[in-house]
Amino acid sequence: MKSAVCVIVPVYKAVHTLDRCVESVLCQEVPGGVSCILVDDGSPDESGAMCDAWAARDPRIRVIHKEDGGVSSARNAGLEIADARYIVFLDSDDALREGALEAALAAQQEHPGSFVIWHYTTDLLDDAPAEGDAAPRPASSLARLYLDCLIAMPWNKLYRGDLLRELRFDESYTLGEDLQFVLDYIACLNRESKNWSFAVVDAPLTWYNCDNTGTSLSTRYHDDYCDIWPRHFAKLNAACDAVGAPQEDLLPLHRAELTVLAEGAADILRRDPSPAGLRRDKADKALSGTWLRGLLKTMRREKNYSAYYLPVWWRNLHLLYSMAEARRLNKPLYGKMDWLGYYLFLGRRRRE
């Protein structure tokens, strides 16, 4: 019999967090029940054995053992056998808060035509009640929800199982693949109906283990960072156009995209292991990319200001690096250069 919700958990080197993660799933009580798929992605430690031990103790758990293929490959393996009405993703170092799935389903029931998403917390001791009160938001709020850090991840969302039957994570990406998946799901919603909406649960339903050590995929250096993100942003912008995102949301979105690419180029200068000359060539190539130059032209038409606009437009690596480092280290130079650039445009551009 199908469960109401299936939680897919990719598992890799998770001996210290897996028990907490699985316990947080099994304690959920919802009509129709909860199931869990643990995907051991070739973990070299005892994580795989821990998965088997959990499956032996609880029939709601199924385990897949596979060769290490990365988190997207693991999630896809889980999707192949998931057969629940709704699907939720959870990372093995994160946890669902008590009552989270009940709250998510309550929001779905109250807003049946909506894509239910929710807030999250990085505080393991956060005692905010997990309630299903949700604010309806139109599909056109996609850009704003991205800026609010609610779109780019897969694990704070309730997905319809029927729409995920043919949908998979793109395993060719090692960065930003989560955003691609969510945008693909939104495209499915768009094709099915132009009247769908978001329902944003006010309560934090997931505890997110925010790794600031530099060891996670999101914080370590990626030498193809400035090649990958223009593709992601192009897809995001197309999705925003498809749902009719308003100009007041697109302006800050474009500023945010420019910041990501500008600081990505600066990061090449700071962290790329190549010799200095090759680092400069690589950073300059990032600043001269077709998509980025197109973004600058769009921002010019919008009269949209960013502190990074002129350094990127001029392809001035020294100025760009100085500003990015000042921002990273919270030094006043960034603010001074920000306002200087704004006054060079005689205040005729829109800023934050």
Side-chain angles (χ1 to χ4, degrees):
M1 181 178 177
K2 288 184 179 181
S3 59
V5 183
C6 177
V7 182
I8 298 175
V9 182
V11 178
Y12 187 80
K13 291 185 178 179
V15 291
H16 299 298
T17 62
L18 184 61
D19 285 344
R20 177 182 63 205
C21 174
V22 176
E23 287 168 359
S24 79
V25 174
L26 298 182
C27 77
Q28 303 292 319
E29 296 183 1
V30 300
V34 175
S35 61
C36 180
I37 299 174
L38 301 177
V39 185
D40 168 28
D41 193 36
S43 190
D45 58 11
E46 296 302 311
S47 297
M50 292 175 66
C51 291
D52 290 335
W54 271 109
R57 293 200 298 271
D58 197 307
R60 294 175 292 174
I61 293 179
R62 287 181 285 176
V63 178
I64 298 173
H65 297 284
K66 59 183 289 296
E67 293 183 359
D68 180 9
V71 66
S72 290
S73 173
R75 288 174 178 147
N76 286 340
L79 284 171
E80 289 292 336
I81 67 169
D83 58 358
R85 184 177 181 187
Y86 295 104
I87 306 295
V88 169
F89 296 100
L90 185 65
D91 291 344
S92 58
D93 57 346
D94 298 342
L96 291 172
R97 300 187 63 239
E98 185 176 355
L101 296 185
E102 182 181 12
L105 288 176
Q108 187 70 75
Q109 185 174 7
E110 183 180 358
H111 306 280
S114 294
F115 182 15
V116 174
I117 67 178
W118 54 83
H119 289 268
Y120 53 93
T121 180
T122 59
D123 181 2
L124 191 57
L125 301 179
D126 191 330
D127 60 358
E131 298 175 341
D133 295 336
R137 303 280 293 276
S140 60
S141 63
L142 173 60
R144 173 49 53 190
L145 292 173
Y146 174 83
L147 292 167
D148 291 342
C149 298
L150 292 173
I151 291 296
M153 65 287 289
W155 40 256
N156 66 329
K157 298 170 178 68
L158 188 69
Y159 302 91
R160 283 171 40 190
D162 61 322
L163 291 184
L164 292 192
R165 287 186 187 130
E166 303 300 328
L167 199 60
R168 296 295 181 266
F169 288 84
D170 189 335
E171 297 178 26
S172 67
Y173 288 108
T174 58
L175 183 69
E177 70 283 352
D178 296 346
L179 174 60
Q180 289 270 342
F181 180 83
V182 175
L183 293 177
D184 286 341
Y185 184 78
I186 287 173
C188 290
L189 293 173
N190 264 334
R191 285 193 295 269
E192 184 181 70
S193 170
K194 296 301 180 183
N195 296 320
W196 70 276
S197 60
F198 292 99
V200 183
V201 177
D202 298 327
L205 302 186
T206 299
W207 176 71
Y208 170 54
N209 181 19
C210 185
D211 184 343
N212 293 315
T213 66
T215 59
S216 74
L217 283 176
S218 59
T219 56
R220 77 185 189 199
Y221 176 70
H222 291 258
D223 62 0
D224 56 354
Y225 184 95
C226 289
D227 296 323
I228 289 176
W229 275 106
R231 284 177 265 167
H232 293 331
F233 286 147
K235 190 167 185 173
L236 173 61
N237 291 344
C240 289
D241 288 342
V243 297
Q247 186 72 4
E248 59 263 29
D249 290 346
L250 293 178
L251 292 175
L253 176 64
H254 294 158
R255 286 193 288 265
E257 291 172 344
L258 179 59
T259 296
V260 167
L261 270 297
E263 294 184 353
D267 209 36
I268 293 172
L269 298 172
R270 183 168 69 93
R271 291 203 287 175
D272 193 273
S274 305
L278 291 178
R279 286 201 304 272
R280 288 193 295 272
D281 290 345
K282 190 172 182 178
D284 183 69
K285 182 181 177 182
L287 296 186
S288 60
T290 301
W291 183 86
L292 181 55
R293 306 313 291 184
L295 175 65
L296 293 173
K297 292 177 182 177
T298 296
M299 293 180 68
R300 182 174 62 187
R301 289 195 302 270
E302 296 171 333
K303 299 187 183 304
N304 190 1
Y305 176 74
S306 163
Y308 286 122
Y309 184 91
L310 288 176
V312 174
W313 180 261
W314 292 332
R315 288 165 56 183
N316 188 319
L317 294 177
H318 177 72
L319 178 58
L320 175 67
Y321 181 78
S322 298
M323 290 184 65
E325 281 295 281
R327 185 171 187 261
R328 184 176 71 87
L329 300 173
N330 199 28
K331 292 185 175 180
L333 174 64
Y334 176 81
K336 293 176 181 178
M337 297 304 296
D338 179 7
W339 281 104
L340 176 60
Y342 180 68
Y343 287 129
L344 286 175
F345 285 110
L346 304 177
R348 294 173 181 169
R349 291 203 171 193
R350 298 171 65 178
R351 60 178 295 135
E352 297 286 352

